[in-house]
Amino acid sequence: MRFIANLRRQTLDAFASHLVSADGYLLSAHRITNPNLQLAVEVRNRGLPLFADNGTKQLIDSVIAKFSQSARAVTLEVKMLRRQLGHLPRGREVPLSLRKQADALAESVLTDCTERSESIDTNQLIQRQLSMNPTDLIAQEDFTSTCLVALDLEREITGWSVERIAARNRRSLRLWQKVAEHRLCQGLTTYAVLSAMDYNTARHAGQLAAEAGVSSAAMGLAGVCGDLNATDFYVSGRASFKLARPVPRRYVRLAQVLKGIAEGYRDRNATLQRFHCLGLGAPSLLPIAAAALPAETTVTADATSPIHAAAKDRVLYDPENFGDRASTKEIVERILNGGNWPFLSPFTKSFKQRFGHDPEGARRWWTTLGNPSISREILREPSDLTSSLPLFCEADQQVRPIARDTWIAHNHWVLGELTEGRSGPQRREFAHRIIDHWLDGPLTTTSRGLGVAKRILLD
């Protein structure tokens, strides 16, 4: 499995300056500018893979914004039912009025998505993607299912059949066919973008893709990974499985859809040569993809999450704990209480050599002041603490942007370490080792989710 970094000056320069080889880069069609095209030239000159994404994210965001308020009304009613029933409603437990409301809203979403998608000039999109001189090209897609997931319009509420989602995949496959047959795309690896909401829709998607001759497929997983809801059941085939307690739906859905895709290909005795996970970058979710997909499938993933985790959340991935998230505040508290941070990535190592790292000085400051609680405000105020731990503090205006870029590069490096150099059975074995690491630790929301994901993958 390989992690493909989003193409930014930060990511390209950081890796190059430390003589670290990235697995590849991705640039989306909606982010084409002259400076970014120059970055693309640099990537190709270095002989690295370059993925040209289709730029659908902006359209998806627009649809979600348009329908979020109407969808919220459905979600609130579902939550009320859940409290009354003691579990998620489905089947006959969903009142007919709610079913009709959700179905009508989902139909409106479908219509809007189709209109936006059909407004795209396919040839113009291909030309924009080809201007990057990519090695891999993500074909245009039908993104209705992605929007339904993001709006919580689940099939158990709308009553939508597997066939309703299959129709969206047939449209995506027709869009892929246009790209695959385009004279200028010959020689490129072109990915058909499939969609699914659960195991049954994913298995059907895999069957359809195999029948169409797709050997390279992708799926947009940002909505799946960003789902903050919980579920207390899942369906596989005709069987329904009740969970002892609710777990995050993102773990359940990710395991189901990727297993479904793989088994759909197996049903048709076809080989899925390559699979790209669009928007999958959370360290605790990556091993699900690595374990779910066939050993013979080359698996890649990309996401902006390592950038957002650093720049927005001030989070570094812990290289000693399979990428477990740790905020700068938590890291400082760990150090003050006698622990430390592993400077294992080349980026944190060079930062430490340049700016220093003095845990004992930080602890003396803390003890002298009577062990005060650590806040973000304290980490931004000049003191012996912030000068002792410059990587995790933001008091020095000149060092702050350097530290921020270091966090971003470090997070990408950790994801690369979690995926690099492993393929076939070895990839799947390592993935299960990461999952077991989480399961052997304290009982958390993450471990509960991974526990159900493992159960799904092994059934």
Side-chain angles (χ1 to χ4, degrees):
M1 188 173 184
R2 294 179 293 130
F3 188 77
I4 307 300
N6 267 251
L7 184 56
R8 309 282 176 94
R9 174 55 67 186
Q10 289 168 306
T11 52
L12 188 64
D13 286 352
F15 276 80
S17 66
H18 288 79
L19 302 179
V20 177
S21 178
D23 285 331
Y25 292 90
L26 177 141
L27 178 60
S28 181
H30 77 280
R31 295 190 65 248
I32 290 180
T33 61
N34 287 333
N36 283 343
L37 287 178
Q38 181 55 46
L39 295 180
V41 170
E42 294 180 39
V43 170
R44 299 297 291 117
N45 285 344
R46 295 174 190 179
L48 296 172
L50 178 64
F51 284 64
D53 197 5
N54 58 26
T56 302
K57 184 181 184 300
Q58 283 187 318
L59 300 178
I60 292 171
D61 290 345
S62 297
V63 174
I64 294 170
K66 178 177 179 179
F67 291 98
S68 60
Q69 187 170 351
S70 299
R72 194 174 297 116
V74 173
T75 301
L76 289 174
E77 194 163 343
V78 171
K79 287 182 176 179
M80 289 176 60
L81 269 174
R82 182 176 187 167
R83 283 195 291 268
Q84 294 170 13
L85 297 168
H87 59 263
L88 277 173
R90 53 196 174 107
R92 294 180 180 177
E93 295 172 335
V94 180
L96 184 58
S97 58
L98 177 58
R99 177 87 71 200
K100 288 182 176 180
Q101 180 186 359
D103 175 43
L105 180 56
E107 190 66 42
S108 296
V109 172
L110 186 157
T111 299
D112 192 75
C113 287
T114 304
E115 289 175 353
R116 292 175 191 266
S117 180
E118 289 181 346
S119 69
I120 297 172
D121 184 318
T122 301
N123 287 324
Q124 189 178 75
L125 173 60
I126 292 173
Q127 291 291 346
R128 286 177 63 78
Q129 290 177 286
L130 291 176
S131 70
M132 308 175 198
N133 187 26
T135 55
D136 299 71
L137 190 146
I138 309 296
Q140 191 180 349
E141 66 186 287
D142 184 293
F143 47 88
T144 302
S145 300
T146 297
C147 292
L148 294 179
V149 168
L151 292 167
D152 298 334
L153 294 172
E154 303 290 354
R155 288 205 306 127
E156 67 262 22
I157 305 302
T158 63
W160 278 32
S161 65
V162 170
E163 177 54 36
R164 295 299 303 277
I165 306 302
R168 313 326 305 162
N169 278 302
R170 290 192 184 94
R171 182 168 183 270
S172 284
L173 290 169
R174 291 194 295 271
L175 293 169
W176 165 79
Q177 196 74 41
K178 289 183 181 180
V179 178
E181 294 175 351
H182 196 285
R183 63 181 182 84
L184 296 177
C185 294
Q186 304 309 302
L188 293 179
T189 300
T190 57
Y191 293 75
V193 185
L194 308 179
S195 57
M197 300 183 74
D198 45 38
Y199 173 82
N200 290 343
T201 55
R203 187 166 184 171
H204 202 292
Q207 293 168 352
L208 290 174
E211 291 165 4
V214 173
S215 59
S216 299
M219 181 175 285
L221 297 172
V224 172
C225 299
D227 185 355
L228 300 180
N229 294 311
T231 187
D232 52 23
F233 80 99
Y234 64 90
V235 175
S236 182
R238 296 182 179 275
S240 179
F241 300 87
K242 181 176 175 57
L243 303 178
R245 60 182 298 180
V247 302
R249 192 161 196 160
R250 57 186 177 274
Y251 294 94
V252 176
R253 196 189 321 258
L254 184 61
Q256 282 203 297
V257 298
L258 296 181
K259 180 181 180 181
I261 293 290
E263 295 193 346
Y265 269 80
R266 188 188 65 187
D267 293 340
R268 298 296 182 262
N269 295 314
T271 299
L272 177 58
Q273 294 179 4
R274 289 169 289 271
F275 192 88
H276 184 70
C277 302
L278 291 157
L280 177 63
S284 62
L285 292 171
L286 282 169
I288 296 177
L293 293 160
E296 66 270 18
T297 302
T298 298
V299 184
T300 50
D302 81 275
T304 55
S305 51
I307 298 174
H308 294 319
K312 293 183 178 180
D313 301 333
R314 296 171 174 81
V315 160
L316 281 75
Y317 300 152
D318 190 336
E320 288 188 329
N321 288 292
F322 293 107
D324 193 8
R325 290 167 58 96
S327 70
T328 53
K329 175 178 175 293
E330 291 168 337
I331 294 170
V332 169
E333 289 173 340
R334 180 196 304 182
I335 292 170
L336 294 177
N337 282 289
N340 211 332
W341 175 258
F343 286 79
L344 299 181
S345 76
F347 312 103
T348 54
K349 283 180 182 178
S350 64
F351 184 96
K352 180 181 179 182
Q353 291 171 354
R354 181 178 177 185
F355 297 103
H357 176 69
D358 182 11
E360 290 303 323
R363 291 177 195 130
R364 283 194 298 272
W365 171 90
W366 193 50
T367 302
T368 300
L369 292 184
N371 303 351
S373 297
I374 301 302
S375 64
R376 279 190 177 180
E377 289 68 31
I378 285 178
L379 299 183
R380 291 173 180 164
E381 297 171 358
S383 68
D384 288 346
L385 170 70
T386 57
S387 62
S388 296
L389 306 177
L391 179 58
F392 313 111
C393 302
E394 301 177 70
D396 190 319
Q397 299 298 316
Q398 293 183 325
V399 175
R400 180 190 296 181
I402 301 171
R404 192 69 55 87
D405 287 351
T406 301
W407 303 344
I408 292 171
H410 166 85
N411 285 351
H412 279 92
W413 179 84
V414 172
L415 294 184
E417 289 295 294
L418 291 175
T419 57
E420 185 185 10
R422 298 175 177 89
S423 59
Q426 185 186 24
R427 183 195 78 217
R428 303 180 82 180
E429 291 168 8
F430 183 62
H432 279 290
R433 186 150 63 89
I434 296 175
I435 292 172
D436 289 341
H437 164 81
W438 286 92
L439 299 183
D440 291 340
L443 184 62
T444 63
T445 301
T446 298
S447 64
R448 289 200 301 270
L450 283 172
V452 177
K454 182 174 181 176
R455 169 179 157 185
I456 291 168
L457 296 178
L458 296 180
D459 278 348

